[in-house]
Short mmCIF file of all heavy atoms in Angstrom, two decimals:
data_model
loop_
_atom_site.label_atom_id
_atom_site.label_comp_id
_atom_site.label_asym_id
_atom_site.label_seq_id
_atom_site.Cartn_x
_atom_site.Cartn_y
_atom_site.Cartn_z
N PRO A 1 -5.00 120.69 147.64
CA PRO A 1 -4.89 119.24 147.52
C PRO A 1 -4.18 118.65 148.81
O PRO A 1 -3.57 119.38 149.64
CB PRO A 1 -4.06 119.00 146.33
CG PRO A 1 -3.28 120.22 146.09
CD PRO A 1 -4.07 121.31 146.65
N VAL A 2 -4.30 117.34 149.00
CA VAL A 2 -3.79 116.68 150.13
C VAL A 2 -2.29 116.99 150.37
O VAL A 2 -1.88 117.26 151.51
CB VAL A 2 -4.01 115.12 150.04
CG1 VAL A 2 -3.22 114.39 151.06
CG2 VAL A 2 -5.53 114.77 150.02
N HIS A 3 -1.42 116.94 149.31
CA HIS A 3 -0.01 117.12 149.57
C HIS A 3 0.36 118.45 150.09
O HIS A 3 1.28 118.64 150.83
CB HIS A 3 0.78 116.71 148.30
CG HIS A 3 0.62 117.76 147.17
ND1 HIS A 3 -0.39 117.79 146.34
CD2 HIS A 3 1.44 118.72 146.86
CE1 HIS A 3 -0.22 118.78 145.47
NE2 HIS A 3 0.88 119.32 145.69
N LEU A 4 -0.44 119.49 149.63
CA LEU A 4 -0.10 120.79 150.12
C LEU A 4 -0.56 121.01 151.59
O LEU A 4 0.11 121.60 152.41
CB LEU A 4 -0.82 121.88 149.33
CG LEU A 4 -0.29 122.10 147.92
CD1 LEU A 4 -1.01 123.22 147.11
CD2 LEU A 4 1.25 122.37 147.94
N ARG A 5 -1.63 120.34 151.98
CA ARG A 5 -2.05 120.31 153.38
C ARG A 5 -1.01 119.60 154.21
O ARG A 5 -0.73 120.12 155.36
CB ARG A 5 -3.43 119.74 153.56
CG ARG A 5 -4.50 120.51 152.77
CD ARG A 5 -5.88 119.93 153.01
NE ARG A 5 -6.73 120.37 151.99
CZ ARG A 5 -8.06 120.64 152.15
NH1 ARG A 5 -8.58 120.53 153.34
NH2 ARG A 5 -8.75 121.11 151.12
N ALA A 6 -0.50 118.54 153.68
CA ALA A 6 0.63 117.85 154.50
C ALA A 6 1.83 118.70 154.69
O ALA A 6 2.42 118.71 155.83
CB ALA A 6 0.99 116.59 153.76
N LEU A 7 2.24 119.43 153.66
CA LEU A 7 3.33 120.34 153.77
C LEU A 7 3.04 121.41 154.81
O LEU A 7 4.03 121.95 155.45
CB LEU A 7 3.69 120.92 152.41
CG LEU A 7 4.37 120.00 151.40
CD1 LEU A 7 4.41 120.69 150.07
CD2 LEU A 7 5.61 119.48 151.87
N ARG A 8 1.84 121.85 155.02
CA ARG A 8 1.42 122.84 155.94
C ARG A 8 1.42 122.29 157.32
O ARG A 8 1.38 123.10 158.30
CB ARG A 8 0.06 123.47 155.66
CG ARG A 8 0.04 124.44 154.42
CD ARG A 8 -1.32 125.01 154.26
NE ARG A 8 -1.38 125.90 153.14
CZ ARG A 8 -1.07 127.12 153.10
NH1 ARG A 8 -0.59 127.68 154.23
NH2 ARG A 8 -1.19 127.86 152.07
N GLY A 9 1.43 120.96 157.49
CA GLY A 9 1.48 120.40 158.84
C GLY A 9 0.19 119.68 159.25
O GLY A 9 0.01 119.39 160.45
N LEU A 10 -0.59 119.28 158.27
CA LEU A 10 -1.83 118.51 158.53
C LEU A 10 -1.69 117.04 158.10
O LEU A 10 -1.49 116.82 156.90
CB LEU A 10 -3.00 119.19 157.88
CG LEU A 10 -4.42 118.82 158.29
CD1 LEU A 10 -5.45 119.96 158.00
CD2 LEU A 10 -4.93 117.55 157.86
N ALA A 11 -1.62 116.21 159.04
CA ALA A 11 -1.41 114.75 158.72
C ALA A 11 -2.57 113.88 159.08
O ALA A 11 -3.30 114.15 160.08
CB ALA A 11 -0.16 114.21 159.41
N ARG A 12 -2.83 112.86 158.32
CA ARG A 12 -3.95 111.98 158.63
C ARG A 12 -3.29 110.56 158.82
O ARG A 12 -2.53 110.08 157.93
CB ARG A 12 -4.98 111.96 157.42
CG ARG A 12 -6.02 111.02 157.75
CD ARG A 12 -7.11 111.06 156.61
NE ARG A 12 -8.30 110.27 156.94
CZ ARG A 12 -9.43 110.35 156.18
NH1 ARG A 12 -9.50 111.09 155.13
NH2 ARG A 12 -10.43 109.57 156.47
N SER A 13 -3.78 109.92 159.91
CA SER A 13 -3.24 108.55 160.12
C SER A 13 -4.41 107.49 159.78
O SER A 13 -5.54 107.83 159.80
CB SER A 13 -2.91 108.38 161.58
OG SER A 13 -2.22 107.16 161.76
N PHE A 14 -4.00 106.29 159.50
CA PHE A 14 -4.78 105.13 159.22
C PHE A 14 -5.37 105.02 157.84
O PHE A 14 -5.74 104.03 157.44
CB PHE A 14 -5.87 105.05 160.30
CG PHE A 14 -5.49 105.13 161.68
CD1 PHE A 14 -6.19 105.84 162.62
CD2 PHE A 14 -4.24 104.59 162.13
CE1 PHE A 14 -5.83 105.99 163.91
CE2 PHE A 14 -3.81 104.75 163.38
CZ PHE A 14 -4.63 105.45 164.28
N GLN A 15 -5.27 106.12 157.07
CA GLN A 15 -5.73 106.08 155.68
C GLN A 15 -4.63 106.55 154.79
O GLN A 15 -4.24 105.89 153.84
CB GLN A 15 -7.09 106.81 155.55
CG GLN A 15 -8.12 105.99 156.26
CD GLN A 15 -9.63 106.46 156.00
OE1 GLN A 15 -9.78 107.16 154.91
NE2 GLN A 15 -10.47 106.28 156.84
N ILE A 16 -4.21 107.84 155.04
CA ILE A 16 -3.15 108.40 154.16
C ILE A 16 -1.86 107.70 154.41
O ILE A 16 -1.01 107.47 153.52
CB ILE A 16 -2.92 109.90 154.34
CG1 ILE A 16 -2.01 110.43 153.27
CG2 ILE A 16 -2.61 110.29 155.68
CD1 ILE A 16 -1.87 111.94 153.27
N SER A 17 -1.56 107.25 155.66
CA SER A 17 -0.34 106.62 156.08
C SER A 17 -0.38 105.18 155.65
O SER A 17 -0.61 104.30 156.49
CB SER A 17 -0.02 106.88 157.53
OG SER A 17 -0.07 108.15 157.89
N GLN A 18 -0.13 104.85 154.47
CA GLN A 18 -0.10 103.41 153.99
C GLN A 18 1.14 102.79 154.33
O GLN A 18 2.18 103.11 153.84
CB GLN A 18 -0.38 103.44 152.48
CG GLN A 18 -1.72 104.01 152.03
CD GLN A 18 -2.97 103.19 152.56
OE1 GLN A 18 -2.84 101.99 152.68
NE2 GLN A 18 -4.00 103.94 152.90
N VAL A 19 0.99 101.71 155.10
CA VAL A 19 2.17 100.83 155.52
C VAL A 19 2.56 100.03 154.32
O VAL A 19 1.73 99.40 153.67
CB VAL A 19 1.84 100.03 156.75
CG1 VAL A 19 2.91 99.04 156.98
CG2 VAL A 19 1.64 100.95 157.99
N VAL A 20 3.91 99.92 154.16
CA VAL A 20 4.44 98.99 153.06
C VAL A 20 4.67 97.67 153.75
O VAL A 20 5.69 97.64 154.55
CB VAL A 20 5.66 99.57 152.34
CG1 VAL A 20 6.16 98.68 151.30
CG2 VAL A 20 5.38 100.95 151.87
N PRO A 21 3.97 96.59 153.49
CA PRO A 21 4.08 95.35 154.33
C PRO A 21 5.44 94.73 154.27
O PRO A 21 5.90 94.17 155.30
CB PRO A 21 3.04 94.47 153.69
CG PRO A 21 2.04 95.37 153.03
CD PRO A 21 2.84 96.53 152.58
N ASP A 22 6.03 94.86 153.11
CA ASP A 22 7.37 94.17 152.91
C ASP A 22 8.58 94.95 153.50
O ASP A 22 9.63 94.39 153.60
CB ASP A 22 7.60 93.79 151.47
CG ASP A 22 6.64 92.77 150.86
OD1 ASP A 22 6.10 92.06 151.69
OD2 ASP A 22 6.47 92.79 149.66
N PHE A 23 8.34 96.16 153.87
CA PHE A 23 9.34 97.00 154.51
C PHE A 23 9.34 96.75 155.97
O PHE A 23 8.42 96.41 156.62
CB PHE A 23 9.22 98.53 154.24
CG PHE A 23 9.58 98.88 152.78
CD1 PHE A 23 9.87 98.00 151.85
CD2 PHE A 23 9.76 100.27 152.54
CE1 PHE A 23 10.30 98.36 150.54
CE2 PHE A 23 10.13 100.66 151.24
CZ PHE A 23 10.39 99.71 150.23
N THR A 24 10.53 97.03 156.63
CA THR A 24 10.59 96.96 158.05
C THR A 24 9.87 98.22 158.64
O THR A 24 9.50 99.18 157.94
CB THR A 24 12.03 96.91 158.58
OG1 THR A 24 12.65 98.19 158.22
CG2 THR A 24 12.79 95.72 157.95
N VAL A 25 9.62 98.10 159.97
CA VAL A 25 9.15 99.26 160.69
C VAL A 25 9.88 100.48 160.44
O VAL A 25 9.47 101.58 160.14
CB VAL A 25 8.97 98.89 162.21
CG1 VAL A 25 8.68 100.18 162.97
CG2 VAL A 25 7.85 97.89 162.42
N GLN A 26 11.27 100.34 160.57
CA GLN A 26 12.20 101.54 160.39
C GLN A 26 12.09 102.05 158.99
O GLN A 26 12.13 103.28 158.77
CB GLN A 26 13.58 100.99 160.73
CG GLN A 26 14.74 101.99 160.54
CD GLN A 26 16.04 101.38 160.82
OE1 GLN A 26 16.44 100.41 160.19
NE2 GLN A 26 16.82 101.97 161.75
#
């Protein structure tokens, strides 16, 4: 599954990395 691939070091940007609009960049 996705979370195990992430733990192995495989990351996806623009879809898995959901930005939280109300949070700051930091």
Side-chain angles (χ1 to χ4, degrees):
V2 170
H3 72 278
L4 289 183
R5 298 184 197 215
L7 289 173
R8 288 186 181 274
L10 197 156
R12 180 177 186 171
S13 189
F14 310 140
Q15 292 187 22
I16 189 174
S17 301
Q18 296 296 324
V19 169
V20 182
D22 292 337
F23 281 14
T24 67
V25 166
Q26 181 183 54

